Amino acid sequence: MNSLFCSPLRYTQGYDATQSLGAEMAALGLSGPVLLVTSPSPRKLLEPVWAKTLGDAGIAHVIHDFAGECTSAEIARIVAVAGAAGAAAVIGAGGGKVLDAARAAAAELRVPFVCCPTVATTDSPTCAISVVYTADGVYEKTLFHGVNPALVLVDSHVISRAPARMLVAGMGDALSTMFEARACVAAKKPNTRGGACTISAMALAELCYRTLLADGAEALRAAKNGEVSPAVERIIEANTLLSGLGFESAGLAGAHGVHNGLTAAPGTHAFLHGEKVAFGVLVQLMLEKAEQAQVDEVLGFCCSVGLPVTLAQIGCANLPDDVLDLVAARATAPGEWTHNEPFPVTAPMVAAAIRAADAAGHAFLAA
Ligand SMILES: [Zn+2]
């Protein structure tokens, strides 16, 4: 198996970075016309900025209002609108679903994709993957595209306007990256692109974890005050770039498998991806029989930024055994990330690890 590392061509982050969108695209040789896919709040905030920056760069653009869910039908609509506009590139500006739909349309059209996340809530912006849902919001499939975005442009001023909870959830998603990378390497499992992990991807995953420990709590304090401090910039980078490159080029394992399992418990539906992933990290550590010092470090970090450490904190207080069994079965379904752990994982093992993680969380909170 070859080692394989992939990334966007260019990553740009900064306060009011949107003002540089046109120049950044021009620097990559991208020209118009472009289709810009977005949702109401980014459009309200940024439409004049897009007009100026793209206009200054001589890039004509058409805006497509995202229908609200990343469905096959919405991707087809974007492809049709882009085709009618003769789009030479697609820009996505918004949250994960907007970006995933725009990314999938660009891949289908074989034109470059420019990714402008307006929240730092997951690590998906840099990757070449779209998650597709039904119109009712039920998971349908994951699309693995050939190429990563040409440009990922992250405006920290825009991101600072989102609720602090979004940034915290992004830290939860980023928390999993190093632990899942280590599991995949120990198991000699391929990364999400079918190659072996490079030492570069592992180094980025480890830096991601160290950055969370060093800057997470301070970034949350600043974010709550609407400040874009250096710690906030570093956490945005950890949540987006470090975690994104780390998960895609190193791999996913128990934490994301448990996350997918937890979606079978109705109580978790009000919680964000990264919040469930954070609890999934604890479960993965229980599965792996990690050292107590490592467990305590993760628990301490989670508590310092308000990430969940108990079932009650993800809407599953008094989780019945039959629902737990459903969660564990879903987490160990064939092909699930859980099977990237370096030992066979069964549903009863996951159920026991979920109870153990919950107990560890309660014990830590009580201490
Ligand atoms: Zn994730």
Side-chain angles (χ1 to χ4, degrees):
M1 182 162 55
N2 290 333
S3 298
L4 199 159
F5 181 92
C6 52
S7 72
L9 282 177
R10 191 174 174 103
Y11 177 90
T12 304
Q13 177 183 320
Y15 196 87
D16 288 335
T18 308
Q19 293 173 5
S20 306
L21 176 60
E24 290 288 310
M25 289 177 64
L28 287 164
L30 300 178
S31 57
V34 298
L35 180 70
L36 199 162
V37 181
T38 191
S39 47
S41 34
R43 181 167 187 171
K44 194 169 165 211
L45 185 66
L46 295 170
E47 191 169 0
V49 187
W50 292 329
K52 168 109 178 54
T53 182
L54 294 173
D56 287 351
I59 299 172
H61 75 284
V62 174
I63 294 181
H64 171 79
D65 290 307
F66 179 63
E69 186 56 87
C70 180
T71 61
S72 297
E74 176 62 6
I75 293 166
R77 266 195 296 277
I78 298 169
V79 168
V81 175
V90 174
I91 303 173
K97 289 175 187 290
V98 177
L99 302 180
D100 275 11
R103 183 194 325 268
E108 197 169 325
L109 291 159
R110 297 182 179 274
V111 297
F113 176 54
V114 174
C115 187
C116 304
T118 54
V119 285
T121 303
T122 73
D123 55 15
S124 67
T126 58
C127 79
I129 298 169
S130 295
V131 181
V132 181
Y133 295 85
T134 67
D136 303 325
V138 178
Y139 171 83
E140 185 181 314
K141 60 184 171 184
T142 301
L143 300 174
F144 294 86
H145 310 305
V147 292
N148 293 74
L151 168 66
V152 175
L153 184 135
V154 184
D155 186 330
S156 49
H157 187 193
V158 170
I159 290 191
S160 74
R161 291 167 175 258
R165 181 184 173 190
M166 308 293 269
L167 190 71
V168 171
M171 291 193 239
D173 205 19
L175 178 64
S176 69
T177 305
M178 180 188 78
F179 297 104
E180 294 183 291
R182 285 180 175 174
C184 289
V185 167
K188 297 190 168 58
K189 290 289 172 68
N191 60 30
T192 64
R193 303 300 288 271
C197 180
T198 55
I199 54 173
S200 309
M202 184 55 80
L204 294 173
E206 288 170 349
L207 178 59
C208 182
Y209 180 65
R210 289 203 303 276
T211 304
L212 294 177
L213 294 186
D215 290 313
E218 165 55 23
L220 175 60
R221 186 205 61 75
K224 281 180 173 166
N225 292 326
E227 299 165 23
V228 185
S229 66
V232 171
E233 292 280 8
R234 288 193 290 269
I235 287 298
I236 292 172
E237 183 182 336
N239 289 6
T240 311
L241 184 62
L242 291 173
S243 186
L245 299 182
F247 102 78
E248 190 171 32
S249 287
L252 296 173
H256 273 78
V258 170
H259 163 276
N260 293 345
L262 286 169
T263 62
T268 67
H269 291 178
F271 292 83
L272 298 168
H273 171 85
E275 293 170 336
K276 285 174 271 195
V277 169
F279 187 74
V281 171
L282 279 179
V283 177
Q284 181 179 328
L285 292 175
M286 297 298 134
L287 275 173
E288 293 172 348
K289 302 188 176 5
E291 288 179 15
Q292 191 60 41
Q294 179 65 80
V295 175
D296 285 344
E297 189 171 78
V298 168
L299 284 166
F301 168 73
C302 287
C303 292
S304 75
V305 296
L307 282 167
V309 296
T310 64
L311 284 169
Q313 290 173 336
I314 48 170
C316 294
N318 306 316
L319 186 70
D321 280 336
D322 58 333
V323 180
L324 176 63
D325 289 344
L326 278 178
V327 168
R330 176 72 184 78
T332 51
E336 192 45 85
W337 302 117
T338 313
H339 301 299
N340 281 350
E341 291 293 324
F343 45 82
V345 180
T346 63
M349 286 166 68
V350 170
I354 289 173
R355 292 287 188 214
D358 183 53
H362 277 291
F364 192 85
L365 290 172

